[in-house]
Amino acid sequence: MIMKKNVIKTSVLSIALAAILATSVATTVKADDNVGNPVELKYISSKTQLPVYQLRLNNLTKGSYAIAIKDESGVVLYNETVAGTKVVRNYQFDSVLPEGAKLTFEVNDLTNNTSKVYNVSKTATVVEDVVVNEVK
């Protein structure tokens, strides 16, 4: 349990640093992109086993959002408040999460008092294909 808390504390500090470095500039998106879906969270890639998640706020009018990333027990690993239109943020942990770790991304629209919650879990599968071809 102590090791898990140390991993979580390290993750909190490292995700804060990674989020600041990775998202210091908001990306502008064309006005017609995903207007019907105001909040999107997607898995982008995993560089050296460190996953990168992208959060897009597809709002056309300026708004304020509270974003929180929590672990499976509800401990807040990272939180921030962002404001603007068409905000895009990338989040990456600086250390490998424990096997079977589950994350929750909560996005609260402070202007309209609405929220979206995303649960993220990772599973690994091994696929082995065996192909037999007749030569003659």
Side-chain angles (χ1 to χ4, degrees):
M1 189 66 160
I2 293 173
M3 185 165 175
K4 183 176 180 180
K5 287 186 180 186
N6 287 339
V7 170
I8 290 173
K9 287 179 184 178
T10 303
S11 295
V12 170
L13 293 174
S14 59
I15 194 169
L17 178 61
I20 290 168
L21 294 175
T23 63
S24 60
V25 178
T27 305
T28 304
V29 181
K30 293 192 307 190
D32 61 347
D33 286 349
N34 301 315
V35 176
N37 192 5
V39 178
E40 290 181 279
L41 178 71
K42 63 182 175 179
Y43 172 78
I44 294 180
S45 67
S46 182
K47 297 178 182 176
T48 63
Q49 296 182 332
L50 301 175
V52 178
Y53 301 98
Q54 184 177 76
L55 177 68
R56 289 180 173 264
L57 306 174
N58 300 314
N59 54 326
L60 295 176
T61 59
K62 187 174 181 180
S64 295
Y65 296 87
I67 301 165
I69 303 172
K70 299 179 181 180
D71 68 4
E72 64 269 7
S73 60
V75 175
V76 176
L77 302 176
Y78 179 76
N79 65 4
E80 71 174 327
T81 302
V82 297
T85 58
K86 298 296 205 173
V87 177
V88 177
R89 293 283 195 259
N90 291 331
Y91 298 96
Q92 178 182 27
F93 287 92
D94 282 343
S95 60
V96 177
L97 294 173
E99 187 66 33
K102 296 179 182 175
L103 299 175
T104 300
F105 284 74
E106 293 181 6
V107 181
N108 295 303
D109 184 340
L110 302 175
T111 308
N112 298 328
N113 293 324
T114 58
S115 65
K116 288 264 191 175
V117 178
Y118 297 91
N119 290 324
V120 177
S121 61
K122 178 181 174 183
T123 58
T125 58
V126 177
V127 176
E128 184 175 326
D129 289 330
V130 177
V131 177
V132 177
N133 290 321
E134 183 180 345
V135 179
K136 275 193 171 187

